[in-house]
Amino acid sequence: MATVGVLCGRMRVEEKLLVAALAEAGVVAEPVVPTGLPLPPSRHPLPPAPAFAGGPQTDLLIDRFPERAAGAALIAASRATGSATIDAGLAATGDRLTVATALAAAGVPRPNTHFAWSAEAALAAVASLGYPATLLPLAYRSAATPLLDIDAAEAVIEHRAVLGNGVETLALVQAGVAVGCSSCFVVVDGEPVASDGGPEPDAVAPNLAARAAHALGARLIGVVVAETTHGPVVWDVQPVPEFRHARPLSGRPVAEAVAAMAIRLLKARAPQQEPMDPHDPRPVLAPAGHLNGHGNGNLRAEAGEVRDGVALFA
Amino acid sequence: MSGSNGRMPRLGVLVSYLRTEEKLILADARRRGIPVTPLFDKELVLDFSAPTAAASGVDVDVVLDRCVAHARAGYAIRAFERWGIPTLNSAESVHLCDDKAENSLALEAAGIPTPRTVLAFTMESALKACELVGYPAVLKPVAGSWGRLLAKVNGPEQAKAVIAQKLELGSVGHGVIYVQEFVPKPDRDIRAYVVGERVLAASYRAADHWVTNAARGATSLPCPITPEIEELSLRACQAVGARLAGVDLMETADGLTVIEVNSGGEFRGLMATTDTDIAAEIVSEAMETARRGRPERRGAAKSMAVGPMAV
Amino acid sequence: MTGTCPECAAEFELSGVEQGEIVPCPECGVELEVLNANPVQLGLAPEEGEDWGE
């Protein structure tokens, strides 16, 4: 019997919907709420073997963890112990710069963007882009902040530089603001399934969201698409999207689509369930480059195979 | 008091490091034969159980606070007070000056013209505070200096953006949202320097930016000490119990308004605009403080008794 | 009276609550603040501040 976990801080509406949809599809899923127990860094117990062999051993873990730094580490640890994962791909482990770079490399339309690595650079970026602009700190835990005028830009940037710990100053500065002209599309297994907010979408925006998910190797992700005078652009992504109020695009709710993908992934794993060899010296974590596609047509499947293949020694 | 037995009072100058101002103060004291020693805050080991300051390594008769680190100075002065060493500004007045909310409250309570100030503790209530004073509004950290983190917010979206940074990244103190009405002013404000019961000098601080702080590159220009500047500055100092302070004033259509009183205060910019030897006046005031003698030792029942009303 | 948890949508019984009271959600465990007592409206309780205490 395959074990499916929903990695989360607590069971919110979205996680309940996922567990219910999986149950409907005949799969029992358990919430995985990290406790005070440490996790092994890999499935190879390091000598001396830890007294606690702990951590939930899942065949498939769905990443719904709200805090990204911990979430990314927990997902990586889970993969290292042999689990497949449903997550936001590069957006799950990376930051906004990683994502922006991958999207640009894949030719996905993006707003005019500068990367600012200091307060001075951020101010120069805003000055060159003009107002309004938006500051998107690299860490996904920090919200995108509209900079409507120079006074706001100076104050917001100074606050991040003075009050932050250095990392907080790192940010993307994007031309424009996405308020009132954006929709978030939830993309599941390559398909745009639902949209949350914004105008009734045409076919272009959902397709763009799907291209972004593909470029990031994401199995479950929220992609924020903004309308600009130059057409729709991918404005930002949400590694753990909320979807309780999302409108299904084709009748199938998000949770159902995730359940279908879970079953597909579990089936793909089924023939390979021989016990793992604890003496296999090969690394269990894929180098980041393996996950970072180059925009060819088969990237999503490829990224998934690489990921699970490494985890399973396929 | 040591001054009474004929010996020169020994002056300790509490510093974080030596700036132009402190070097001038030390030089003037030495020129006059006053035993003077810098007390570096980083070297202090304040043993509260010590019976005297000397037993805790501080062997002076009067302390002049020129420390840039407010938290350090605040506690050090409290300890000196407990040991009976007089300081130019009392611990209570340093406390009132180092916190912008306390400062504004003291000014308002004393009926001194000061921009309308509203305090709130959450995003929602702070946005209401901004509505109350109207946009543009000014947000300031309650513990801040040198023009740091001053924010002019021109509308609710901008206010939200700035407050969000405070709440996300700031320590506890940044959760106290200090909102002040924006006072349209000429591209300058006034810094009046008070020592004892006198305004020694005043200067305009001019800048292209709305923040006219010398630390942010504002230029200091001579400013005549008008009766209004004198009267208001002294009243402001009295309201917070400060005897050594830089008072920040702004010119408005309705006359002068007091922004805040800075305990100790920098006067480097001011020096270029006046013939008065400010460092020498400060040293004289320190000697005067030593002669006036010990503060009442802090007993359990009387702690913190020195408030603005007592001055 | 019935309240709905804004985090997990669980519905549960509340009695004698006052505005400003903190109640845990019996289902997901999140701390909730009673924003309105009648009709009951619940919001996420504020996070504990570093300087909170006695």
Side-chain angles (χ1 to χ4, degrees):
Chain A
M1 177 81 186
T3 311
V4 176
V6 179
L7 177 67
C8 58
R10 68 174 72 90
M11 291 289 278
R12 301 176 307 151
V13 172
E14 283 78 7
E15 290 73 45
K16 283 181 168 179
L17 288 170
L18 289 174
V19 170
L22 283 158
E24 185 73 20
V27 177
V28 178
E30 294 287 337
V32 175
V33 180
T35 61
L37 296 175
L39 301 167
S42 79
R43 63 181 178 171
H44 301 199
L46 301 171
F52 166 66
Q57 181 58 53
T58 57
D59 296 295
L60 176 66
L61 191 62
I62 304 173
D63 181 9
R64 295 291 309 164
F65 203 71
E67 205 287 300
R68 286 326 304 158
L74 288 164
I75 279 290
S78 167
R79 253 190 245 132
T81 56
S83 180
T85 57
I86 291 178
D87 58 45
L90 277 183
T93 55
D95 55 31
R96 285 189 168 106
L97 178 61
T98 309
V99 167
T101 309
L103 293 178
V108 176
R110 290 255 313 135
N112 201 354
T113 302
H114 288 301
F115 165 51
W117 51 275
S118 68
E120 293 73 20
L123 284 169
V126 191
S128 97
L129 293 171
Y131 294 95
T134 303
L135 187 88
L136 298 99
L138 290 200
Y140 278 103
R141 68 172 170 276
S142 296
T145 301
L147 307 174
L148 296 188
D149 55 42
I150 188 168
D151 292 324
E154 285 182 352
V156 166
I157 290 167
E158 188 193 2
H159 273 74
R160 294 201 73 80
V162 174
L163 301 182
N165 58 10
V167 177
E168 320 288 357
T169 313
L170 303 177
L172 301 181
V173 182
Q174 294 183 178
V177 285
V179 182
C181 63
S182 66
S183 312
C184 181
F185 294 92
V186 182
V187 183
V188 182
D189 210 7
E191 185 197 335
V193 174
S195 83
D196 199 351
E200 198 62 41
D202 54 18
V204 182
N207 284 341
L208 194 57
R211 276 178 66 196
H214 179 105
L216 300 170
R219 288 174 168 160
L220 169 60
I221 190 170
V223 180
V224 180
V225 177
E227 292 296 333
T228 72
T229 47
H230 307 296
V233 295
V234 172
W235 182 262
D236 195 13
V237 300
Q238 295 176 358
V240 181
E242 287 192 0
F243 52 83
R244 63 186 74 177
H245 303 302
R247 293 190 304 261
L249 294 172
S250 61
R252 189 169 64 149
V254 171
E256 247 176 60
V258 175
M261 172 171 46
I263 287 168
R264 181 180 71 71
L265 292 171
L266 290 173
K267 276 185 186 156
R269 282 172 62 88
Q272 303 169 12
Q273 277 182 339
E274 70 270 15
M276 292 178 287
D277 176 3
H279 304 296
D280 192 319
R282 281 176 290 175
V284 291
L285 284 170
H290 283 223
L291 302 180
N292 197 350
H294 303 287
N296 70 45
N298 199 27
L299 178 71
R300 212 216 66 74
E302 191 180 281
E305 275 165 24
V306 169
R307 219 163 41 170
D308 291 345
V310 171
L312 289 166
F313 302 138
Chain B
M1 172 78 239
S2 39
S4 58
N5 60 21
R7 161 167 80 77
M8 276 274 212
R10 294 161 303 168
L11 171 62
V13 184
L14 180 62
V15 291
S16 306
Y17 49 88
L18 297 178
R19 298 169 291 180
T20 311
E21 286 98 328
E22 289 73 47
K23 288 186 78 174
L24 289 167
I25 288 167
L26 292 174
D28 184 82
R30 286 172 185 141
R31 195 162 44 240
R32 285 149 72 169
I34 298 165
V36 62
T37 175
L39 305 170
F40 287 96
D41 56 18
K42 63 187 172 190
E43 290 169 3
L44 292 176
V45 182
L46 301 167
D47 178 1
F48 293 169
S49 71
T52 62
S56 193
V58 179
D59 198 8
V60 294
D61 300 308
V62 59
V63 168
L64 165 63
D65 166 29
R66 299 292 311 169
C67 185
V68 295
H70 287 180
R72 297 177 187 186
Y75 290 114
I77 291 174
R78 284 259 181 245
F80 297 153
E81 213 166 65
R82 170 254 189 278
W83 285 312
I85 298 180
T87 54
L88 273 74
N89 285 333
S90 68
E92 184 59 17
S93 106
V94 169
H95 172 72
L96 291 179
C97 287
D98 283 356
D99 183 305
K100 283 188 173 38
E102 298 267 19
N103 207 315
S104 297
L105 195 56
L107 292 175
E108 191 67 60
I112 291 163
T114 188
R116 187 175 183 187
T117 302
V118 184
L119 212 60
F121 308 114
T122 63
M123 173 68 85
E124 293 70 27
S125 54
L127 290 172
K128 279 186 195 157
C130 290
E131 295 291 339
L132 207 58
V133 302
Y135 291 103
V138 176
L139 307 178
K140 298 179 180 178
V142 287
S145 229
W146 291 338
R148 253 192 320 257
L149 299 179
L150 302 185
K152 181 179 164 203
V153 290
N154 299 314
E157 284 307 317
Q158 293 92 318
K160 221 164 121 181
V162 176
I163 296 165
Q165 312 311 314
K166 294 179 187 290
L167 299 180
E168 183 196 338
L169 301 174
S171 55
V172 169
H174 292 281
V176 177
I177 317 287
Y178 175 106
V179 183
Q180 196 164 63
E181 72 174 305
F182 178 77
V183 180
K185 56 167 182 177
D187 293 336
R188 65 182 192 192
D189 67 1
I190 296 169
R191 162 58 65 98
Y193 205 82
V194 173
V195 177
E197 276 108 40
R198 271 198 311 146
V199 176
L200 275 192
S203 69
Y204 292 116
R205 299 185 303 183
D208 293 335
H209 198 271
W210 68 275
V211 177
T212 42
N213 191 295
R216 293 266 301 241
T219 323
S220 294
L221 301 163
C223 169
I225 304 169
T226 63
E228 193 189 4
I229 290 177
E230 175 138 48
E231 190 245 310
L232 209 50
S233 301
L234 293 177
R235 276 177 61 206
C237 282
Q238 216 168 44
V240 296
R243 294 183 58 82
L244 176 64
V247 182
D248 293 342
L249 306 133
M250 277 193 323
E251 302 154 283
T252 76
D254 304 323
L256 290 179
T257 186
V258 178
I259 305 298
E260 62 178 358
V261 182
N262 299 277
S263 164
E266 293 176 329
F267 53 84
R268 197 167 43 237
L270 211 57
M271 286 186 317
T273 68
T274 177
D275 293 331
T276 310
D277 187 342
I278 298 173
E281 295 286 345
I282 291 174
V283 173
S284 299
E285 173 66 17
M287 291 299 100
E288 183 55 34
T289 305
R291 265 185 287 278
R292 264 199 310 275
R294 295 160 166 257
E296 206 161 324
R297 277 191 170 232
R298 288 183 64 202
K302 279 204 73 178
S303 73
M304 315 272 288
V306 188
M309 305 313 291
V311 176
Chain C
M1 271 177 294
T2 310
T4 306
C5 172
E7 189 84 330
C8 77
E11 293 198 357
F12 57 97
E13 276 303 309
L14 289 154
S15 59
V17 291
E18 273 192 56
Q19 188 189 324
E21 203 175 322
I22 303 293
V23 292
C25 168
E27 201 154 322
C28 73
V30 71
E31 299 259 281
L32 298 169
E33 180 177 348
V34 179
L35 301 177
N36 197 4
N38 195 13
V40 172
Q41 198 200 341
L42 302 170
L44 290 181
E47 277 180 40
E48 185 180 298
E50 193 189 327
D51 66 336
W52 291 17
E54 53 180 347

